[in-house]
Amino acid sequence: MSINKVMVIGAGQMGAGIAQVFAQAGLSVIINDLDQGALDKGIAGIKKRLERAVGKDKISETEKNETLDRLAGTTDMNDASDCDLVVEAVVENMDVKTKVFKRLDEIMPEHAILASNTSSLPITEIAAATNRPSQVIGMHFMNPVPVMKLVEIIRAIQTSDDTYQAIEDLTKKINKSPVEVEDFPGFVSNRILMPMINEAIYTVHEGVASPEDVDTVMKLGMNHPMGPLTLADFIGLDTCLYIMEVLHEGFGDSKYRPCPLLRKYVKAGWLGKKSGRGFYSYE
Ligand code: NAI
């Protein structure tokens, strides 16, 4: 099956990046958001990143203009009616996502594939909310999307081989590296990353070392490009807590219990970089 026209739902930090990489790879892209302000901000961000790439001689002025010509914005989800694929990147909330998928199932042509960029929610449950579960799949991009090479492709229990193959082919076409993953809590990326971040928070909570020293150990000692607490601030501490809760509930194993200090920070509204304060201050 050939995928030529895509709708990306949600113009936030992930959706805008996903729309950009599709448009740069030559696909026709419609980006949708409920909120006109968020849509404008997402598209402005794409323009800014492309202009920066021209400034650094990474792409030509013509490539930038052609990419922008392939990109359109809308607040009307009905515009997905002639798309071959949709990639959903709205808030990490099962009720919101299943509502979006039910609606898309009604709008989209029969052959279309419905993908979710969820970082932790079960694709199997999202698929079950539609009448085409074999055409539902997880397409988990990493942040920042234009930079990071990986796409975790998550197979729901219902996903067909044809759907999987179409998404693997597309991932290669947009110059990313696919990894096939079964639908289990946290997939592979967050099942390994989040417990490490949570343990780093326990290390601070128990007074073993300061956030700066924990990050230094992992950077200089393990060659990680970024310390786990800096990374947690970058991802958002609310998101980290949410994913730990998904792991804890999904596996029923106390090794995934979220650190009380993480809960306290989230309750205080210290969500990391986006709120100006997390383990570090961004004022
Ligand atoms: P964000 O908060 O930056 O963007 C979400 C956007 O969705 C907002 O602009 C909002 O207005 C829009 N939206 C909400 N409900 C909508 C609806 N019903 N229809 C259309 N638009 C709607 O969130 P972000 O960080 O981009 O995350 C999006 C998804 O990507 C989540 O599922 C998240 O778990 C996943 N993800 C996030 C990563 C990260 O590092 N932030 C990494 C990988 C996946």
Side-chain angles (χ1 to χ4, degrees), residues 9-14 32-35 38 77 89-92 96-97 100 117-119 140-141 143:
I9 314 270
Q13 52 173 346
M14 294 304 290
N32 163 268
D33 204 291
L34 278 179
D35 177 28
M77 214 182 263
V90 306
V91 283
E92 189 75 344
V96 178
K97 288 200 196 281
V100 167
N117 180 55
T118 177
S119 27
H140 183 208
F141 289 83
N143 185 11

Side-chain angles (χ1 to χ4, degrees), residues 5 34 63 74 83 102 152 178 203 224 254 264 281:
K5 190 164 182 189
L34 278 179
E63 262 177 281
T74 182
C83 288
K102 280 197 169 115
E152 253 186 331
T203 312
H224 288 198
S254 65
K264 205 183 236 185
S281 177

